Amino acid sequence: MDAFAHAPRPIIPIAGGTDLLLDLKQGRHSPVQTLLDVTSIEEMTRLEITGDELFIGASVPVSRVATTPEVAHHAQALTEACNLIAGPQVRNVATLGGNVAHALPAADGTIALLALNTQAEIASALSGAGGRVAERIETERRRSAVTRKIPFKELFLGPGKSSLKHGEELLVGFYLPLTNYHQASCFKRIMRPQGVALPILNCAVWLERENDIIKDIRIAVGPGGGTPFRATQAEDTLRGKSLNDITFESALEALLTQAQFRTSARRASADYRQHIVVGLFKDVLESAWERAS
Ligand SMILES: Cc1cc2nc3c(=O)[nH]c(=O)nc-3n(C[C@H](O)[C@H](O)[C@H](O)COP(=O)(O)OP(=O)(O)OC[C@H]3O[C@@H](n4cnc5c(N)ncnc54)[C@H](O)[C@@H]3O)c2cc1C
């Protein structure tokens, strides 16, 4: 964090560069003085179980997330999402942190993490708050490693806009609760046949079953709004109920009411998204339901 605090500004982190370098080259990003490579920061490359959580460092490439057995066991939706991101070459350098920090509402890793009740860890490199120089240096030294955890959803302010403070904050990684008995998740997406970047629509569901009842559920759909979207109203209609045609119809109605599907020039119209979400949501929900049995 020292380098982050003191290098020439404007400064931004770079991980795999698969989003950022394109944005810089194509003039979609404001000029930058320093690129801070975060791929070798040891803490950010860890992928391990710590206590009752799975920690995935922000600099872990999505290919490693996709092929790690612990992720498949505890976060199957994330394994499925990471396996679908781009092709093998991009997956080997693209990181989970970059996928999230870019703050796109339909990024595949992001939508899976949203359904998995993830906490994001953030490190801040705050500068001293005035006073004598020595005090400021000491304050900076102590603060240079300050980290905090926030609910995943709080990372997002709008399309392409994260809540991370520019030049001050880094995503360190993600904490996911471990899967228990009768809990399961699923991720699927609908993609243009020739498409290589973001999907037309994706969906992730995590649920816990108690016999034939949905004890708890989280549903994420991308893009279902300006930020990664949780279908909380659909979750409310399903919690405490069994999954059948009637409860599915109520959940679907709630999802369609709450989601704000939009038309994107290169991918799909809002109408088309409203149409195809029916089958995608049903498919993902039923898979998670079966897996949790
Ligand atoms: C051909 C191609 C296909 C693609 N297909 C898909 C796809 O199918 N699905 C999908 O979701 N995405 C896809 N993408 C998008 C991209 O690969 C992913 O979003 C990738 O995960 C971004 O990670 P990165 O490490 O390359 O990020 P970078 O490009 O290095 O960074 C992206 C943004 O995140 C910031 N950042 C990176 N790391 C951190 C950190 N630790 N803390 C704070 N900010 C950070 C950077 O400053 C930058 O603003 C595709 C891209 C390409 C080029």
Side-chain angles (χ1 to χ4, degrees), residues 13 15-20 44 85-86 94-95 98-99 101 107-108 171 189 196-197:
T18 61
D19 279 330
L20 183 58
M44 292 168 61
I85 290 175
T95 64
N99 193 260
D108 292 313
L171 258 177
R189 72 179 192 182
V196 287

Side-chain angles (χ1 to χ4, degrees), residues 12-20 22 38 44 58 84-86 90 93-95 97-99 101-102 107-108 164 169-171 189 191 196-198:
I12 48 167
I14 181 164
T18 61
D19 279 330
L20 183 58
L22 280 180
V38 295
M44 292 168 61
L84 289 169
I85 290 175
V90 171
V93 288
T95 64
N99 193 260
H102 203 200
D108 292 313
L164 295 169
E169 291 186 328
L170 273 182
L171 258 177
R189 72 179 192 182
M191 192 79 175
V196 287
L198 292 174

Side-chain angles (χ1 to χ4, degrees), residues 103-105 157-160 224-228 260 262:
L104 296 179
L157 298 179
T227 57
Q260 293 175 319
R262 61 201 169 97

Side-chain angles (χ1 to χ4, degrees), residues 80 133 168 211:
E80 289 167 335
V133 174
E168 287 185 15
N211 302 314

Side-chain angles (χ1 to χ4, degrees), residues 215-232:
K215 194 172 170 200
D216 200 5
I217 182 161
R218 290 186 294 272
I219 302 162
V221 177
T227 57
F229 167 67
R230 266 278 296 275
T232 50

Side-chain angles (χ1 to χ4, degrees), residues 187-208:
F187 172 95
K188 296 186 190 205
R189 72 179 192 182
I190 293 171
M191 192 79 175
R192 286 172 67 110
Q194 75 278 32
V196 287
L198 292 174
I200 293 174
L201 205 68
N202 58 18
C203 178
V205 169
W206 172 95
L207 67 77
E208 178 173 7

